[in-house]
Amino acid sequence: MFLRRYAPEDADSLSRLIIRNLRLVNIHDYSREAIDALIPSYSPERIKYVTSKSFTIVCIDGDRVVGTASLDGNRVRNVFVEVEQHRNGIGSMMMAAIESQAIDNQLQRICIHAGITAEGFYHKLGYRTIKRYVHDLEGVPLPLIRMEKEFPDV
């Protein structure tokens, strides 16, 4: 298993991986309406657009994409791991790479607007909860948690 930079040909795999996570994992914390409202944000076309503006990595196992994470300015985005690979260290490995990139970029702090499902994961990595809020996703409420991690030695 290894990490590499995202390539446009990864968009279809990432779309399937993310949408599957939304439907199988995030559905436990969000309404079906919220999941349905999120899905268009993860089409291959939208992924290609968003990744063109960010530092995005993918985790590869054999010939399959099994995870992704992005750093957009000082904001971590779109951290997803193939459902069957949860709790195998892939998320932590990707976040270490994202944090390393943030330090290389001289960022003293990064944030993530995490879903309810992932709050415990980020706490284990040293992120602290800043605030809980509800994002209006085209009229559909989506509870999120703003979390931050500081790098004081940068």
Side-chain angles (χ1 to χ4, degrees):
M1 211 170 303
F2 65 95
L3 300 179
R4 67 164 167 78
R5 290 288 302 264
Y6 162 86
E9 57 268 17
D10 297 324
D12 289 337
S13 295
L14 290 186
S15 178
R16 286 190 300 274
L17 182 151
I18 293 169
I19 290 170
R20 191 161 182 267
N21 264 272
L22 293 173
R23 289 183 172 148
L24 297 178
V25 178
N26 298 86
I27 193 67
H28 298 292
D29 295 317
Y30 296 107
S31 68
R32 177 150 318 277
E33 186 181 28
I35 298 298
D36 289 344
L38 280 168
I39 286 174
S41 300
Y42 296 107
S43 69
E45 297 75 24
R46 184 76 180 140
I47 288 171
K48 286 177 186 174
Y49 173 75
V50 170
T51 56
S52 72
K53 300 176 166 201
S54 63
F55 171 80
T56 301
I57 57 173
V58 293
C59 182
I60 305 296
D61 184 13
D63 62 350
R64 294 181 11 251
V65 174
V66 296
T68 187
S70 297
L71 182 65
D72 182 5
N74 72 333
R75 186 169 171 184
V76 178
R77 295 180 181 269
N78 301 324
V79 180
F80 290 95
V81 173
E82 188 175 88
V83 173
E84 291 78 14
Q85 296 281 356
H86 284 196
R87 301 190 187 281
N88 286 342
I90 295 170
S92 298
M93 180 173 61
M94 291 189 308
M95 287 303 297
I98 291 293
E99 291 171 8
S100 178
Q101 182 67 37
I103 291 167
D104 288 350
N105 291 352
Q106 301 292 304
L107 299 175
Q108 293 181 325
R109 174 183 303 127
I110 58 176
C111 70
I112 186 162
H113 297 257
I116 295 166
T117 309
E119 184 179 20
F121 168 73
Y122 292 113
H123 277 161
K124 288 178 187 173
L125 297 179
Y127 289 76
R128 61 188 177 94
T129 298
I130 302 300
K131 73 174 183 174
R132 297 172 187 281
Y133 66 99
V134 177
H135 175 69
D136 182 328
L137 186 62
E138 299 179 26
V140 178
L142 184 68
L144 293 173
I145 305 159
R146 180 182 168 93
M147 303 181 78
E148 292 183 352
K149 184 171 185 176
E150 294 184 6
F151 306 108
D153 296 332
V154 172

